[in-house]
Amino acid sequence: SQKIEQNSEALNIQEGKTATLTCNYTNYSPAYLQWYRQDPGRGPVFLLLIRENEKEKRKERLKVTFDTTLKQSLFHITASQPADSATYLCALDKARGQNFVFGPGTRLSVLP
Amino acid sequence: DTGVSQNPRHKITKRGQNVTFRCDPISEHNRLYWYRQTLGQGPEFLTYFQNEAQLEKSRLLSDRFSAERPKGSFSTLEIQRTEQGDSAMYLCASSAAKGSYEQYFGPGTRLTVT
């Protein structure tokens, strides 16, 4: 069956450290994989998209990798700050960018 | 740019009643998506439109749910004969048909069925 898993339900790290979140999928062949941030009571906010032929994408303190052989994406936040505390969702497309399915999310807490 | 708006923000209804939610996407976006989200879970796809055409509907969606986008602009999601299991946050998102496929989400409508 098709499945998307994100490493853990919750992750606590110390301010200034690098947070690494994992997204693993089974029985999908996505052309695109996205990462979103969601704060309590609000809709998700787009962060980054990576294509199947890209290994890595960066944006400021964020870095995403995409390994289609391992069926895994890693999302890194370097020099983490308490303001980075939120739930992070990965989403992958089911049909060439037309329809995206979301993982359950990882709740990140950056402790001062 | 006012972003994606949804109304109402909160809805409390009794079991068995019908409810309708509205979504106004970003004006130049021709794709519109509806999702449902429960606590601790990611958004669950319900349906999506390209312009006024409904291109896909989740197989998990019962026939009590219907969505429309009559003129390719705003969209409505109706739930008939609501059940307690329908209690959730209903999210709308829009995106451009071509480009990065990033979705812009609205604030959601929180439905509570008593």
Side-chain angles (χ1 to χ4, degrees), chain B residues 18-107:
Chain B
N18 299 344
V19 294
T20 300
F21 309 141
R22 176 176 170 131
C23 171
D24 287 89
I26 293 171
S27 58
E28 62 268 25
H29 286 179
N30 55 11
R31 286 190 180 173
L32 186 148
Y33 302 80
W34 284 101
Y35 294 90
R36 176 172 61 192
Q37 188 175 28
T38 54
L39 199 62
Q41 300 297 315
E44 176 191 15
F45 170 79
L46 295 178
T47 189
Y48 95 97
F49 294 83
Q50 181 155 315
N51 299 312
E52 64 275 10
Q54 187 172 19
L55 296 187
E56 187 172 345
K57 186 175 175 180
S58 169
R59 287 173 292 175
L60 301 174
L61 208 60
S62 80
D63 56 8
R64 296 184 297 106
F65 287 71
S66 62
E68 292 184 340
R69 195 182 183 198
K71 296 182 180 178
S73 56
F74 73 93
S75 176
T76 57
L77 177 70
E78 181 182 18
I79 309 174
Q80 296 182 327
R81 304 180 304 281
T82 52
E83 301 171 357
Q84 286 188 319
D86 297 331
S87 296
M89 176 75 86
Y90 289 83
L91 293 164
C92 173
S94 70
S95 73
K98 293 182 180 179
S100 69
Y101 305 105
E102 63 185 85
Q103 296 179 50
Y104 292 81
F105 281 82

Side-chain angles (χ1 to χ4, degrees), chain A residues 32 34 36 38 41-46 49 51 89 94 96-100 102-105, chain B residues 9 31 33 35 37 40-43 45 48 55-56 89 91 99-103 105-107:
Chain A
Y32 307 94
Q34 302 182 359
Y36 288 79
Q38 187 172 26
R42 311 188 82 144
V45 174
F46 172 81
L49 174 143
R51 292 174 168 78
L89 301 156
K94 291 175 64 177
R96 294 289 144 183
Q98 292 194 50
N99 177 357
F100 283 82
F102 283 79
Chain B
R9 293 293 309 278
R31 286 190 180 173
Y33 302 80
Y35 294 90
Q37 188 175 28
Q41 300 297 315
F45 170 79
Y48 95 97
L55 296 187
E56 187 172 345
M89 176 75 86
L91 293 164
S100 69
Y101 305 105
E102 63 185 85
Q103 296 179 50
F105 281 82

